[in-house]
Amino acid sequence: MIQATYQRIVLASRPRGSVTADNFRLETVSTPTLLEPQQVLVRNQFLSLDPYMRGRMSLVKSYAQPQELNDTMIGATAGVVVQSSHADFNPGDSVTGMLGWSEMGVAPGEQLRKVDARQIPLSAYLGIVGMPGVTAWYGVNQILQAKAGQTLVVSAASGAVGSVVGQLARLLGCRVVGIAGGEQKCRYVVEQLGFDACVDYKKYATPEELLAALTAATPAGIDLLFENVGGNVLDASLAQLNAFARIALCGMISGYNGQPQPLKNTNRLLTMRVMLQGFIVTEHPDIWPQALSELAALVAGKQVIYHETIADGLAAAPAAFMGLLSGQNLGKQLVKLN
Ligand SMILES: NC(=O)c1ccc[n+]([C@@H]2O[C@H](COP(=O)([O-])OP(=O)(O)OC[C@H]3O[C@@H](n4cnc5c(N)ncnc54)[C@H](OP(=O)(O)O)[C@@H]3O)[C@@H](O)[C@H]2O)c1
C-alpha cells in the first residue's frame, strides 16, 4: 500500500552569507492519489547534495533561475517506482530524476532515467555514474584534452568531481596532483585514488607557503588545471602554469557565500597564453551517453573507485549540505532516505 503522506524540505528563506538551518523547513505533504497520463510516482532512496544548490538559494544572476521560496529544494534523486501511468515505467524500476529534497515525488516519465542497480549500486548514479562523473569526464576529455606525460592539477581533489578527474587523468597517463583540505583527505587522494601527490591547502598560513608546496609537488609546472575552488587555491595554481596551459573552470566554491575572490596572478593567463574555459555540464547533453557508458564500464571493472559520505534521513539534509560547503564530506555527499 502507498503511504498517505511523505516529508519534504523547502527553501524557507534565502541565506545571508553562510547557509543556516533556518533557511530550510521540513514539511509533511499528501501523496498524490491519482497520476496524470505519463506520470510516475517514485519513492526516493537517495538524495544528492551538490554545491550548485547554494547558488540556487540566492537571488543572483547566474546560468539558472534561483529556486523559489517555499518550493521543494532542488536536487537529484535516485529511487524506485511505486506507481506509473507511463508505459516505459513499472513499479519496482530503479530510476534517477530531479525530485528534490523529498521522500517521494511525481515526474513525467521523460524526466526520469531508468538505471540498472544490479551491477552498479543505485547511489553511484548520483555520483561517479551521474552528474559529477560526467562533469569530470567532460572537463578532462573535452576541455583539457589530457594527454600522457602532462601534469594535471585538480582542486577539491577528494570530492565527487575531483576524485574522478584525477583518476581519469591517471588512466590517460598524466602526472596528477590534487589540492585538498586536510591530511586525511590528502592521504585518501594519494593512497586510495592513486594521485601522484596532494597539497593540503589548510596546512599553509600564507599564499606564499601554499605556492611553495604546490611548486614542490609540480616540479615540471602545470599543463592542465581542473579548477573547483577559486580564490587563493586558484591563485597558487595560476602562478605555476606552463606555456599554453589549459584550464577547465568547473567551480569556485570558496566564493559561493558571496565572499570576494581576489586573484593576484592573472597576468599568467596572458604571459603563458592560457586557454580558460568555464562550463556547465548540463549544457552538454550530447556527451552524456558516451561519458556515462565509459564511466559505468570503469566502475564495473574497478578501474576507478569512489567514496560516499551518507547522511541518514531527510531531516539530516540541511546539516549535511552545510557540511559539504565547509569540507566535511569525503567523496560524494548523499542523504539516505528511510
Ligand atoms: N560546472 C559544472 O557543471 C559543475 C558540475 C558539478 C560540480 N561543479 C563544481 O565542482 C566543484 C566540486 O563539486 P563536488 O560536487 O565534487 O563537491 P565536493 O568536492 O564533493 O564537495 C565540496 C568540497 O569543496 C571544498 N570546499 C568547500 N568549501 C571550500 C572553501 N571555502 N574553500 C576551499 N574548498 C572548499 C571541500 O573540500 P576540501 O575539504 O578539500 O576543501 C568540500 O569537500 C564545486 O565547485 C561545484 O560547484 C561544477
Short mmCIF file of all heavy atoms in Angstrom, two decimals, residues 117-164:
data_model
loop_
_atom_site.label_atom_id
_atom_site.label_comp_id
_atom_site.label_asym_id
_atom_site.label_seq_id
_atom_site.Cartn_x
_atom_site.Cartn_y
_atom_site.Cartn_z
N ALA A 117 20.40 -1.16 -11.25
CA ALA A 117 21.06 -1.12 -9.93
C ALA A 117 21.59 -2.49 -9.51
O ALA A 117 21.91 -2.70 -8.35
CB ALA A 117 20.08 -0.57 -8.89
N ARG A 118 21.68 -3.44 -10.47
CA ARG A 118 22.18 -4.77 -10.08
C ARG A 118 23.71 -4.81 -10.11
O ARG A 118 24.34 -5.34 -9.21
CB ARG A 118 21.61 -5.84 -11.01
CG ARG A 118 20.11 -6.07 -10.77
CD ARG A 118 19.50 -6.85 -11.88
NE ARG A 118 19.71 -6.19 -13.17
CZ ARG A 118 19.26 -6.63 -14.33
NH1 ARG A 118 18.61 -7.75 -14.41
NH2 ARG A 118 19.49 -5.96 -15.45
N GLN A 119 24.31 -4.20 -11.14
CA GLN A 119 25.78 -4.24 -11.25
C GLN A 119 26.44 -3.08 -10.54
O GLN A 119 27.51 -3.21 -9.97
CB GLN A 119 26.17 -4.23 -12.73
CG GLN A 119 26.67 -5.57 -13.22
CD GLN A 119 27.64 -5.39 -14.35
OE1 GLN A 119 27.49 -4.47 -15.15
NE2 GLN A 119 28.65 -6.24 -14.42
N ILE A 120 25.78 -1.90 -10.63
CA ILE A 120 26.31 -0.68 -10.01
C ILE A 120 25.29 -0.22 -8.99
O ILE A 120 24.10 -0.11 -9.30
CB ILE A 120 26.55 0.39 -11.09
CG1 ILE A 120 27.69 -0.06 -12.02
CG2 ILE A 120 26.84 1.74 -10.47
CD1 ILE A 120 27.95 0.87 -13.18
N PRO A 121 25.71 0.03 -7.73
CA PRO A 121 24.74 0.43 -6.71
C PRO A 121 23.98 1.70 -7.11
O PRO A 121 24.53 2.60 -7.74
CB PRO A 121 25.61 0.68 -5.47
CG PRO A 121 26.90 -0.01 -5.75
CD PRO A 121 27.08 -0.05 -7.23
N LEU A 122 22.71 1.75 -6.70
CA LEU A 122 21.83 2.86 -7.08
C LEU A 122 22.46 4.21 -6.75
O LEU A 122 22.40 5.16 -7.54
CB LEU A 122 20.49 2.69 -6.36
CG LEU A 122 19.40 3.70 -6.69
CD1 LEU A 122 19.04 3.67 -8.17
CD2 LEU A 122 18.15 3.43 -5.84
N SER A 123 23.08 4.32 -5.59
CA SER A 123 23.62 5.61 -5.15
C SER A 123 24.69 6.15 -6.11
O SER A 123 24.85 7.36 -6.27
CB SER A 123 24.22 5.48 -3.75
OG SER A 123 25.24 4.51 -3.76
N ALA A 124 25.42 5.26 -6.78
CA ALA A 124 26.51 5.69 -7.66
C ALA A 124 26.00 6.47 -8.87
O ALA A 124 26.75 7.23 -9.49
CB ALA A 124 27.34 4.50 -8.12
N TYR A 125 24.70 6.29 -9.20
CA TYR A 125 24.13 7.03 -10.32
C TYR A 125 23.94 8.51 -9.99
O TYR A 125 23.60 9.31 -10.86
CB TYR A 125 22.81 6.40 -10.77
CG TYR A 125 23.02 5.05 -11.43
CD1 TYR A 125 22.84 3.87 -10.73
CD2 TYR A 125 23.42 4.97 -12.76
CE1 TYR A 125 23.05 2.63 -11.33
CE2 TYR A 125 23.63 3.75 -13.37
CZ TYR A 125 23.45 2.58 -12.65
OH TYR A 125 23.67 1.37 -13.27
N LEU A 126 24.15 8.87 -8.72
CA LEU A 126 24.12 10.30 -8.34
C LEU A 126 25.53 10.86 -8.24
O LEU A 126 25.73 12.05 -8.02
CB LEU A 126 23.40 10.47 -6.99
CG LEU A 126 21.93 10.06 -6.97
CD1 LEU A 126 21.36 10.17 -5.57
CD2 LEU A 126 21.12 10.90 -7.96
N GLY A 127 26.52 9.99 -8.38
CA GLY A 127 27.91 10.43 -8.21
C GLY A 127 28.74 10.11 -9.43
O GLY A 127 28.61 10.76 -10.48
N ILE A 128 29.55 9.08 -9.30
CA ILE A 128 30.53 8.79 -10.35
C ILE A 128 29.87 8.40 -11.68
O ILE A 128 30.41 8.67 -12.75
CB ILE A 128 31.52 7.72 -9.84
CG1 ILE A 128 32.72 7.60 -10.76
CG2 ILE A 128 30.86 6.38 -9.61
CD1 ILE A 128 33.92 6.94 -10.14
N VAL A 129 28.69 7.78 -11.64
CA VAL A 129 27.98 7.43 -12.88
C VAL A 129 26.76 8.35 -13.01
O VAL A 129 25.69 7.96 -13.47
CB VAL A 129 27.57 5.94 -12.89
CG1 VAL A 129 27.15 5.53 -14.30
CG2 VAL A 129 28.72 5.05 -12.43
N GLY A 130 26.95 9.60 -12.62
CA GLY A 130 25.90 10.61 -12.71
C GLY A 130 26.54 11.95 -13.01
O GLY A 130 27.65 12.03 -13.56
N MET A 131 25.86 13.01 -12.62
CA MET A 131 26.29 14.37 -12.99
C MET A 131 27.75 14.67 -12.59
O MET A 131 28.52 15.17 -13.42
CB MET A 131 25.30 15.38 -12.39
CG MET A 131 25.55 16.82 -12.77
SD MET A 131 26.78 17.61 -11.75
CE MET A 131 25.86 17.90 -10.25
N PRO A 132 28.18 14.38 -11.34
CA PRO A 132 29.58 14.71 -11.00
C PRO A 132 30.59 13.96 -11.87
O PRO A 132 31.61 14.53 -12.29
CB PRO A 132 29.69 14.30 -9.53
CG PRO A 132 28.28 14.36 -9.02
CD PRO A 132 27.42 13.91 -10.17
N GLY A 133 30.30 12.68 -12.15
CA GLY A 133 31.22 11.90 -13.00
C GLY A 133 31.29 12.47 -14.41
O GLY A 133 32.37 12.60 -14.99
N VAL A 134 30.14 12.84 -14.96
CA VAL A 134 30.12 13.41 -16.32
C VAL A 134 30.85 14.75 -16.34
O VAL A 134 31.54 15.09 -17.31
CB VAL A 134 28.67 13.56 -16.84
CG1 VAL A 134 28.66 14.21 -18.22
CG2 VAL A 134 27.98 12.20 -16.89
N THR A 135 30.73 15.50 -15.25
CA THR A 135 31.44 16.79 -15.15
C THR A 135 32.95 16.56 -15.26
O THR A 135 33.66 17.26 -16.00
CB THR A 135 31.11 17.47 -13.81
OG1 THR A 135 29.69 17.62 -13.71
CG2 THR A 135 31.78 18.82 -13.69
N ALA A 136 33.43 15.57 -14.51
CA ALA A 136 34.86 15.25 -14.55
C ALA A 136 35.26 14.80 -15.96
O ALA A 136 36.26 15.27 -16.52
CB ALA A 136 35.16 14.15 -13.53
N TRP A 137 34.47 13.91 -16.52
CA TRP A 137 34.76 13.36 -17.85
C TRP A 137 34.82 14.48 -18.89
O TRP A 137 35.73 14.53 -19.72
CB TRP A 137 33.68 12.34 -18.21
CG TRP A 137 33.92 11.54 -19.46
CD1 TRP A 137 34.43 10.28 -19.54
CD2 TRP A 137 33.66 11.95 -20.81
NE1 TRP A 137 34.51 9.89 -20.85
CE2 TRP A 137 34.04 10.89 -21.66
CE3 TRP A 137 33.14 13.11 -21.39
CZ2 TRP A 137 33.93 10.95 -23.04
CZ3 TRP A 137 33.04 13.18 -22.78
CH2 TRP A 137 33.43 12.10 -23.59
N TYR A 138 33.84 15.39 -18.83
CA TYR A 138 33.79 16.48 -19.83
C TYR A 138 35.01 17.38 -19.71
O TYR A 138 35.65 17.74 -20.71
CB TYR A 138 32.50 17.29 -19.64
CG TYR A 138 32.33 18.36 -20.69
CD1 TYR A 138 31.83 18.04 -21.94
CD2 TYR A 138 32.71 19.68 -20.44
CE1 TYR A 138 31.70 19.01 -22.93
CE2 TYR A 138 32.58 20.66 -21.43
CZ TYR A 138 32.08 20.31 -22.67
OH TYR A 138 31.96 21.27 -23.64
N GLY A 139 35.34 17.75 -18.49
CA GLY A 139 36.47 18.65 -18.29
C GLY A 139 37.79 18.03 -18.73
O GLY A 139 38.60 18.67 -19.41
N VAL A 140 37.99 16.78 -18.34
CA VAL A 140 39.27 16.11 -18.65
C VAL A 140 39.40 15.85 -20.16
O VAL A 140 40.45 16.10 -20.75
CB VAL A 140 39.38 14.77 -17.86
CG1 VAL A 140 40.55 13.93 -18.36
CG2 VAL A 140 39.54 15.06 -16.37
N ASN A 141 38.32 15.35 -20.76
CA ASN A 141 38.44 14.92 -22.17
C ASN A 141 38.16 16.04 -23.17
O ASN A 141 38.88 16.16 -24.16
CB ASN A 141 37.48 13.75 -22.44
CG ASN A 141 37.93 12.51 -21.70
OD1 ASN A 141 39.04 12.02 -21.91
ND2 ASN A 141 37.09 12.02 -20.81
N GLN A 142 37.12 16.83 -22.92
CA GLN A 142 36.71 17.81 -23.93
C GLN A 142 37.45 19.14 -23.78
O GLN A 142 37.80 19.76 -24.77
CB GLN A 142 35.20 18.07 -23.85
CG GLN A 142 34.35 16.84 -24.00
CD GLN A 142 34.27 16.34 -25.44
OE1 GLN A 142 34.79 15.28 -25.75
NE2 GLN A 142 33.65 17.07 -26.30
N ILE A 143 37.63 19.59 -22.54
CA ILE A 143 38.25 20.91 -22.37
C ILE A 143 39.77 20.78 -22.21
O ILE A 143 40.52 21.41 -22.95
CB ILE A 143 37.64 21.65 -21.16
CG1 ILE A 143 36.15 21.89 -21.40
CG2 ILE A 143 38.38 22.98 -20.92
CD1 ILE A 143 35.45 22.63 -20.30
N LEU A 144 40.19 19.96 -21.27
CA LEU A 144 41.65 19.85 -21.04
C LEU A 144 42.32 19.01 -22.12
O LEU A 144 43.49 19.18 -22.41
CB LEU A 144 41.92 19.27 -19.65
CG LEU A 144 41.39 20.12 -18.49
CD1 LEU A 144 41.72 19.46 -17.16
CD2 LEU A 144 41.97 21.54 -18.53
N GLN A 145 41.59 18.06 -22.68
CA GLN A 145 42.15 17.15 -23.70
C GLN A 145 43.46 16.55 -23.19
O GLN A 145 44.52 16.64 -23.83
CB GLN A 145 42.33 17.89 -25.03
CG GLN A 145 41.01 18.44 -25.53
CD GLN A 145 41.10 19.34 -26.74
OE1 GLN A 145 42.16 19.46 -27.36
NE2 GLN A 145 40.01 20.01 -27.08
N ALA A 146 43.34 15.95 -22.00
CA ALA A 146 44.52 15.45 -21.28
C ALA A 146 45.28 14.40 -22.07
O ALA A 146 44.68 13.53 -22.69
CB ALA A 146 44.08 14.87 -19.93
N LYS A 147 46.61 14.51 -22.00
CA LYS A 147 47.46 13.56 -22.72
C LYS A 147 48.57 13.05 -21.80
O LYS A 147 48.97 13.73 -20.85
CB LYS A 147 48.11 14.24 -23.94
CG LYS A 147 47.10 14.60 -24.99
CD LYS A 147 47.71 15.28 -26.19
CE LYS A 147 46.61 15.78 -27.12
NZ LYS A 147 45.69 16.74 -26.49
N ALA A 148 49.07 11.86 -22.13
CA ALA A 148 50.11 11.23 -21.31
C ALA A 148 51.30 12.17 -21.16
O ALA A 148 51.67 12.86 -22.12
CB ALA A 148 50.56 9.92 -21.97
N GLY A 149 51.86 12.19 -19.96
CA GLY A 149 53.06 12.99 -19.71
C GLY A 149 52.78 14.38 -19.21
O GLY A 149 53.68 15.06 -18.69
N GLN A 150 51.53 14.85 -19.35
CA GLN A 150 51.20 16.20 -18.86
C GLN A 150 50.96 16.18 -17.35
O GLN A 150 50.56 15.15 -16.80
CB GLN A 150 49.95 16.73 -19.58
CG GLN A 150 50.18 16.98 -21.07
CD GLN A 150 48.94 17.55 -21.74
OE1 GLN A 150 47.84 17.03 -21.59
NE2 GLN A 150 49.12 18.62 -22.49
N THR A 151 51.18 17.33 -16.72
CA THR A 151 50.86 17.46 -15.29
C THR A 151 49.50 18.13 -15.15
O THR A 151 49.29 19.23 -15.68
CB THR A 151 51.92 18.32 -14.56
OG1 THR A 151 53.18 17.63 -14.62
CG2 THR A 151 51.54 18.52 -13.10
N LEU A 152 48.60 17.44 -14.46
CA LEU A 152 47.25 17.96 -14.23
C LEU A 152 47.07 18.22 -12.74
O LEU A 152 47.40 17.36 -11.92
CB LEU A 152 46.19 16.97 -14.73
CG LEU A 152 44.72 17.37 -14.51
CD1 LEU A 152 43.85 16.87 -15.67
CD2 LEU A 152 44.15 16.88 -13.19
N VAL A 153 46.55 19.39 -12.40
CA VAL A 153 46.22 19.73 -11.01
C VAL A 153 44.71 19.86 -10.90
O VAL A 153 44.06 20.46 -11.78
CB VAL A 153 46.92 21.03 -10.57
CG1 VAL A 153 46.33 21.56 -9.26
CG2 VAL A 153 48.42 20.78 -10.39
N VAL A 154 44.15 19.29 -9.84
CA VAL A 154 42.71 19.43 -9.59
C VAL A 154 42.50 19.82 -8.13
O VAL A 154 43.11 19.24 -7.23
CB VAL A 154 41.93 18.14 -9.96
CG1 VAL A 154 42.46 16.91 -9.24
CG2 VAL A 154 40.44 18.32 -9.68
N SER A 155 41.65 20.85 -7.91
CA SER A 155 41.33 21.27 -6.55
C SER A 155 40.02 20.61 -6.10
O SER A 155 39.30 20.06 -6.92
CB SER A 155 41.24 22.79 -6.48
OG SER A 155 40.41 23.29 -7.50
N ALA A 156 39.75 20.67 -4.78
CA ALA A 156 38.67 19.85 -4.17
C ALA A 156 38.86 18.41 -4.64
O ALA A 156 37.93 17.73 -5.08
CB ALA A 156 37.28 20.38 -4.51
N ALA A 157 40.10 17.93 -4.50
CA ALA A 157 40.52 16.69 -5.16
C ALA A 157 39.87 15.44 -4.59
O ALA A 157 39.77 14.43 -5.28
CB ALA A 157 42.04 16.55 -5.05
N SER A 158 39.44 15.48 -3.33
CA SER A 158 38.86 14.26 -2.75
C SER A 158 37.35 14.21 -2.96
O SER A 158 36.71 13.25 -2.56
CB SER A 158 39.16 14.20 -1.25
OG SER A 158 38.38 15.17 -0.56
N GLY A 159 36.77 15.24 -3.56
CA GLY A 159 35.31 15.34 -3.67
C GLY A 159 34.74 14.53 -4.82
O GLY A 159 35.45 13.80 -5.53
N ALA A 160 33.43 14.70 -5.02
CA ALA A 160 32.71 13.90 -6.01
C ALA A 160 33.28 14.09 -7.41
O ALA A 160 33.52 13.13 -8.15
CB ALA A 160 31.23 14.28 -5.99
N VAL A 161 33.55 15.33 -7.80
CA VAL A 161 34.09 15.62 -9.13
C VAL A 161 35.60 15.39 -9.15
O VAL A 161 36.14 14.66 -9.99
CB VAL A 161 33.76 17.06 -9.56
CG1 VAL A 161 34.44 17.41 -10.88
CG2 VAL A 161 32.25 17.27 -9.67
N GLY A 162 36.30 16.01 -8.19
CA GLY A 162 37.76 15.99 -8.19
C GLY A 162 38.34 14.58 -8.15
O GLY A 162 39.33 14.29 -8.83
N SER A 163 37.72 13.69 -7.39
CA SER A 163 38.24 12.33 -7.27
C SER A 163 38.18 11.60 -8.62
O SER A 163 39.04 10.79 -8.94
CB SER A 163 37.46 11.55 -6.21
OG SER A 163 36.09 11.48 -6.55
N VAL A 164 37.16 11.91 -9.42
CA VAL A 164 37.03 11.27 -10.73
C VAL A 164 37.99 11.92 -11.74
O VAL A 164 38.62 11.23 -12.54
CB VAL A 164 35.57 11.34 -11.23
CG1 VAL A 164 35.41 10.57 -12.53
CG2 VAL A 164 34.62 10.80 -10.18
#
